[in-house]
Amino acid sequence: MQSLSRGLALLGELGRRGRPMTLTELTAVAGLHKSTVHRMLAAFIEHGLVQRVDDNRYTVGVGLYELAESARPAPATARWPHIQAALGALARAVRRPVGFALPRYGGLVRSLSVDARGGAITPPRGTAVLADTELGAAYLAFRPRAEAERCAAQHGTDGYRLLLSLGRTRARGYAVGAAVAAPVLGPDGLAIAAVEVAVDEHDQVARQRIGVAAVGCARRVAGHLAAAAEPAPAPAGRRVAGHLAPEPALGPGGPRPSRTPPAGLMARSGASA
């Protein structure tokens, strides 16, 4: 258990520094023998918790982000009708099928799909691969760079080309190709899901119009997911920790849009397709 504790401390320190660190630096921070730290890093790399960025530097891996995602509250089942309604409104507006996908098992699982009239399709259409689909591009463009790099390595994709493509998607706000896909952003500006619309690849004007509409739909979906994750406010007049809870503030109705993602996340590399 002591070695596990030391390993977790080492992992936490690597995350707090926010930059790649050399084996020598990590050894000094951990206060352990270099061979011990090297073995710990090898185990973390095997499980995706640490990533080697060159011959002698290490940074946190996508596995940590996946663990963080799993700690998020799952969308409340009660919100799914609202999400389907948002997808249906988009489908009727653009007269095309629309899908909603959540990240699972290294891909994006299409969890809800509606036809061009807004009716539910059962079952939804399969799983989207992150590396070569518009859904994957919309999602990866608004995730930490390490995830895109690992995805490229796993699928044998040119990482540099992928990052350039993701950068274009990020600047545009949505991915476009055989479909149009827009990211559903969480409160921290990171993608937590994506919305997809089938399009005609040769109709450039329609694709731009649909892209803007898909982004709007994704924001509404993000509002529903945020509402599902938020705890219910304490009733007015109820005492909380010895104090009288304030009346809930009143504001305009409708879902709250997600914040714009932090500029430094992918802008440093320029990433999304």
Side-chain angles (χ1 to χ4, degrees), residues 126-264:
T127 301
V129 178
L130 294 180
D132 58 4
T133 62
E134 287 73 31
L135 265 175
Y139 178 77
L140 281 179
F142 294 85
R143 297 295 303 173
R145 174 174 173 168
E147 293 192 33
E149 291 174 337
R150 181 173 182 182
C151 181
Q154 287 177 335
H155 295 279
T157 305
D158 185 325
Y160 179 71
R161 284 179 175 269
L162 178 61
L163 290 176
L164 286 179
S165 177
L166 293 179
R168 292 191 291 271
T169 292
R170 185 179 179 84
R172 190 188 303 117
Y174 57 89
V176 62
V180 168
V184 176
L185 305 180
D188 55 5
L190 295 178
I192 57 175
V195 170
E196 176 186 48
V197 185
V199 295
D200 181 347
E201 293 187 58
H202 305 293
D203 191 341
Q204 298 293 333
V205 175
R207 293 202 302 172
Q208 182 176 7
R209 176 177 62 86
I210 291 170
V212 172
V215 169
C217 176
R219 288 175 178 166
R220 289 189 290 275
V221 170
H224 292 309
L225 292 177
E230 289 176 356
R238 176 183 173 187
R239 292 191 173 274
V240 179
H243 298 282
L244 191 64
E247 293 280 353
L250 298 178
R256 296 179 300 172
S258 301
R259 294 200 303 269
T260 302

Side-chain angles (χ1 to χ4, degrees), residues 4 8 11 39-52 59-67 150 154:
L4 175 60
L8 292 175
L11 192 60
R39 287 196 300 272
M40 288 179 175
L41 290 172
F44 289 144
I45 290 172
E46 181 180 355
H47 293 280
L49 301 178
V50 169
Q51 179 182 13
R52 176 180 262 169
T59 188
V60 293
V62 68
L64 277 182
Y65 298 114
E66 292 173 349
L67 284 175
R150 181 173 182 182
Q154 287 177 335

Side-chain angles (χ1 to χ4, degrees), residues 35-113:
S35 62
T36 302
V37 175
H38 189 270
R39 287 196 300 272
M40 288 179 175
L41 290 172
F44 289 144
I45 290 172
E46 181 180 355
H47 293 280
L49 301 178
V50 169
Q51 179 182 13
R52 176 180 262 169
V53 294
D54 57 29
D55 288 341
N56 196 35
R57 292 193 306 157
Y58 302 85
T59 188
V60 293
V62 68
L64 277 182
Y65 298 114
E66 292 173 349
L67 284 175
E69 281 300 311
S70 68
R72 291 175 179 271
T77 305
R79 306 306 298 177
W80 285 68
H82 300 282
I83 295 172
Q84 184 176 326
L87 301 180
L90 173 61
R92 290 188 294 274
V94 301
R95 299 180 182 178
R96 287 172 170 81
V98 177
F100 168 71
L102 288 166
R104 293 288 187 276
Y105 317 114
L108 286 169
V109 176
R110 293 179 175 91
S111 304
L112 289 173
S113 295

